[in-house]
Amino acid sequence: MYGCAVQLDWLNAEANLREEVLAQCAQLTPELAFKWLAVEPRRGELDFAPADALADLAAKHGKTLRGHTLIWHRGTPAWAEASLRADKDWTLLERWLASIMPRYAASVSEWDVVNEPIETGHRQDGLRQSVFLEAFGPDYLRRALEAAHALAPRARLMINEYDLEYPLQEQRDRRYCLLKLAERLKAQGAPLHGVGLQAHLDLRKGHIDAAAVTRFCRELAGMGLVLRVTELDVKERDYAAPAAERDRRVADETRRYLDAVLAEPAVLGVSTWGLSDRHSWLTVGADDYARFPGAWTHDDGPGLNRGLPWDAALRPKPMRDAIRSALGAAQAQKS
Ligand code: G3I
């Protein structure tokens, strides 16, 4: 039930990371290799070498691979975006799906068909004003799911979304809009099978709203959807605290979140967005330093964000224990 996002270059360059990932994970998510931008940066020049290598690695070690992600406003090559805007040609999207989905039919049984379609504050339906919406209207989601289903009839098809955890108005709206979207798609008979909860937790935003998260999961499950935590990690707030305290806060928030989500039996598993703090998209930036004026001298500092289950030296942290015990408890409840 546990997996993480990987970049093959890192697994190849760092034997200890590769070993730990293979020992700990049942499922791997390509952090970059399956994105349209990575596969076809120039029109017609498709390079599947990194994705193939990852699929081989997964097969060799008996790991499942998540198909992340087919349609994403930030994962689309510039040439394709320009072309979609100019021609509104649906077959361009279909060709992309047809180039990747059948190729990995044996290794991928779950696809993030549309990533991050929600954006509140613009339209009443809360759909992001992406190039896909602009070219094809709100129906692009149903059409994409239908096209994906035709290409991979046995695969689980998902929408993957972020910012669904906090008691903030924007996040309440995002939860509501995603529920409504799922409801509409199901009512239309679209082949939507699940929702991916990215779960990029953020201690700067306070604590997650556990009751709202559980309710949200229950409502999705009530539509017959399965759920997966797909990109769990924790952005820290207080970098000036001692490392043990930082790790405790990260683990506590992880536990709070996983207890809330895993209360819903339709949750299939949990993936973190990386395994070790050594490689994380969450970095300590100028804003973070600015919150603690004078806390560090130039050769001293807070180090890396500590929001993944293993530290940079690949020692397991309390976050690892939190994930392990939450998954263990969920498993015990199911059996
Ligand atoms: O590897 C090159 C490096 O050689 C080059 O010098 C450098 C200069 O920009 O770029 C490096 O590639 C970057 C890559 O991350 C390496 O990690 C890309 O520019 C950068 O765009 C890419 O960002 C990824 C991002 O998605 C966009 O694809 C992040 O790693 C990845 O963690 C992030 O993942 C997303 C999920 O797919 C969706 N949910 C949010 C999540 C975090 O943003």
Side-chain angles (χ1 to χ4, degrees):
M1 290 175 87
Y2 176 68
C4 79
V6 294
Q7 294 199 29
L8 192 69
D9 289 354
W10 296 335
L11 299 186
N12 286 341
E14 299 160 34
N16 59 353
L17 179 67
R18 179 190 175 101
E19 210 173 284
E20 201 64 43
V21 164
L22 293 175
Q24 303 297 338
C25 296
Q27 182 166 71
L28 307 178
T29 305
E31 189 170 348
L32 301 173
F34 273 43
K35 292 170 181 168
W36 193 358
L37 187 63
V39 172
E40 195 179 5
R42 282 166 298 281
R43 185 175 205 139
E45 295 178 30
L46 286 90
D47 177 11
F48 283 108
D52 285 354
L54 212 47
D56 290 348
L57 178 82
K60 186 167 161 219
H61 294 275
K63 312 294 179 192
T64 58
L65 201 60
R66 289 202 79 241
H68 175 82
T69 173
L70 297 171
I71 296 179
W72 184 30
H73 61 290
R74 283 177 50 211
T76 309
W79 66 263
E81 199 171 324
S83 176
L84 288 168
R85 282 191 205 287
D87 305 330
K88 307 192 187 323
D89 179 6
W90 182 256
T91 62
L92 187 65
L93 266 189
E94 270 181 339
R95 276 206 302 279
W96 157 237
L97 300 196
S99 68
I100 188 165
M101 293 188 79
R103 189 180 184 97
Y104 299 107
S107 22
V108 175
S109 56
E110 181 175 304
W111 291 93
D112 288 336
V113 178
V114 184
N115 199 36
E116 305 175 359
I118 300 296
E119 178 185 41
T120 55
H122 297 284
R123 296 166 50 94
Q124 212 172 5
D125 61 8
L127 288 184
R128 178 182 298 281
Q129 285 179 305
S130 66
V131 60
F132 313 109
L133 184 95
E134 279 167 26
F136 309 114
D139 201 33
Y140 85 89
L141 285 125
R142 186 194 57 78
R143 293 175 74 187
L145 289 162
E146 300 282 3
H149 186 56
L151 290 161
R154 284 187 303 278
R156 185 182 296 132
L157 305 182
M158 292 195 156
I159 287 174
N160 191 42
E161 193 50 271
Y162 70 98
D163 272 359
L164 304 165
E165 299 83 19
Y166 290 89
L168 306 169
Q169 192 52 49
E170 193 194 345
Q171 299 214 3
R172 281 191 199 103
D173 293 346
R174 292 176 62 80
R175 287 192 289 272
Y176 177 80
C177 291
L178 184 53
L179 284 172
K180 287 289 163 199
L181 172 62
E183 206 173 76
R184 282 198 303 279
L185 288 167
K186 292 305 275 184
Q188 291 167 346
L192 173 69
H193 308 121
V195 169
L197 311 167
Q198 293 190 8
H200 293 294
L201 306 185
D202 189 339
L203 293 170
R204 294 169 304 182
K205 294 179 180 157
H207 294 304
I208 62 122
D209 184 340
V213 166
T214 302
R215 209 164 42 238
F216 175 67
C217 291
R218 195 183 312 135
E219 289 196 49
L220 288 169
M223 295 179 208
L225 296 166
V226 292
L227 305 172
R228 185 185 296 284
V229 176
T230 53
E231 307 186 12
L232 176 66
D233 54 18
V234 185
K235 171 72 184 168
E236 292 180 80
R237 185 185 64 81
D238 183 1
Y239 290 104
E245 178 58 19
R246 289 169 58 186
D247 289 350
R248 191 187 63 74
R249 289 176 189 164
V250 165
D252 282 355
E253 195 63 2
T254 299
R255 190 172 300 109
R256 207 171 288 126
Y257 178 70
L258 290 183
D259 284 350
V261 165
L262 292 168
E264 174 47 60
V267 179
L268 301 175
V270 174
S271 284
T272 50
W273 206 238
L275 186 90
S276 144
D277 295 334
R278 196 190 282 180
H279 298 294
S280 173
W281 75 291
L282 295 173
T283 53
V284 185
D287 286 1
D288 298 308
Y289 278 90
R291 280 205 306 283
F292 305 99
W296 301 286
T297 57
H298 66 283
D299 54 355
D300 169 29
L304 300 167
N305 189 73
R306 299 178 67 87
L308 284 168
W310 273 259
D311 75 5
L314 287 175
R315 288 175 301 230
K317 295 185 301 174
M319 181 183 183
R320 190 280 308 257
D321 302 333
I323 296 171
R324 187 172 274 186
S325 66
L327 282 175
Q331 191 78 31
Q333 221 160 36
K334 278 189 191 180
S335 52

